[in-house]
Amino acid sequence: MDRDQVICPCLDVTAGQIMDAYEDGAVTVDAIKDVTGAGSVCGACLDEIEDLLNELRS
Ligand code: FES
């Protein structure tokens, strides 16, 4: 996945920021939310965060 792709338009959080947070131990959607803020506004990106985490886990 392109690191520059915006996953959460509400807060402008990119795939790269989520990947970095994952590497730093934020391995669940809730943890990603806490660390990056992604998913904490409208919630529309939560499925996409989950998909990205699943990709990172595999
Ligand atoms: S798109 Fe992520 S919280 Fe709205």
Side-chain angles (χ1 to χ4, degrees):
M1 173 169 303
D2 180 357
R3 287 183 58 91
D4 291 334
Q5 186 180 331
V6 174
I7 301 293
C8 176
C10 283
L11 291 171
D12 227 19
V13 180
T14 62
Q17 283 172 271
I18 291 171
M19 289 171 185
D20 291 345
Y22 179 86
E23 292 300 325
D24 288 341
V27 297
T28 64
V29 174
D30 276 346
I32 292 291
K33 212 196 246 187
D34 286 346
V35 174
T36 67
S40 64
V41 183
C42 74
C45 59
L46 290 172
D47 283 351
E48 226 172 314
I49 297 170
E50 183 70 60
D51 286 349
L52 177 51
L53 288 179
N54 283 333
E55 252 177 66
L56 294 172
R57 286 183 193 119
S58 62

